Amino acid sequence: MATRRRSVGMAGESVAAHFLERRGGTVLDRNIRIGHDEIDLVASIDDVRIAVEVKTGLGSGTRPWESFDETKEARVRRAARALGIQRVDLIAVELTAAGVVVRWSPGSG
């Protein structure tokens, strides 16, 4: 189960990275660990560095963005601050039989 979840997560991160790149962004790094916290993607858009949390679902049951709760957001923000990054974005990726749906929620400081 953990291997499948990891594979789905990696697929979602790749989709999110390509999504940002198609919009003029540059992915600077992936899966940065700061203590027990992690940032899925560090990207630059319009010369602004952002930390990106990627949530991926298979289109069944819970929507991926629903699992980005206050606790998870606080952990990502803490890791981002440690890197001098003020902005945290969420990209939710749904992988379904009908295709891929991406929802981008640009954040702020």
Side-chain angles (χ1 to χ4, degrees):
M1 185 69 162
T3 302
R4 181 173 186 234
R5 186 172 52 232
R6 189 174 298 121
S7 294
V8 169
M10 289 173 54
E13 287 176 12
S14 291
V15 168
H18 290 290
F19 177 86
L20 291 171
E21 289 167 348
R22 285 192 309 271
R23 281 152 184 78
T26 302
V27 175
L28 304 172
D29 217 334
R30 293 177 185 227
N31 303 310
I32 303 297
R33 285 206 149 301
I34 309 283
H36 294 295
D37 301 328
E38 180 184 14
I39 299 172
D40 293 328
L41 302 173
V42 174
S44 176
I45 300 175
D46 297 328
D47 295 324
V48 174
R49 280 190 332 145
I50 60 172
V52 181
E53 175 66 14
V54 180
K55 292 295 186 183
T56 307
L58 295 175
S60 58
T62 305
R63 302 291 187 214
W65 60 87
E66 293 172 346
S67 63
F68 189 57
D69 59 18
E70 291 178 7
T71 301
K72 180 62 177 176
E73 182 177 3
R75 294 181 74 165
V76 174
R77 287 193 182 282
R78 183 173 51 231
R81 279 193 307 271
L83 297 175
I85 299 172
Q86 298 301 314
R87 180 173 147 184
V88 173
D89 288 8
L90 170 64
I91 295 182
V93 178
E94 286 185 276
L95 307 172
T96 70
V100 177
V101 177
V102 178
R103 291 178 185 233
W104 180 22
S105 299
S108 59

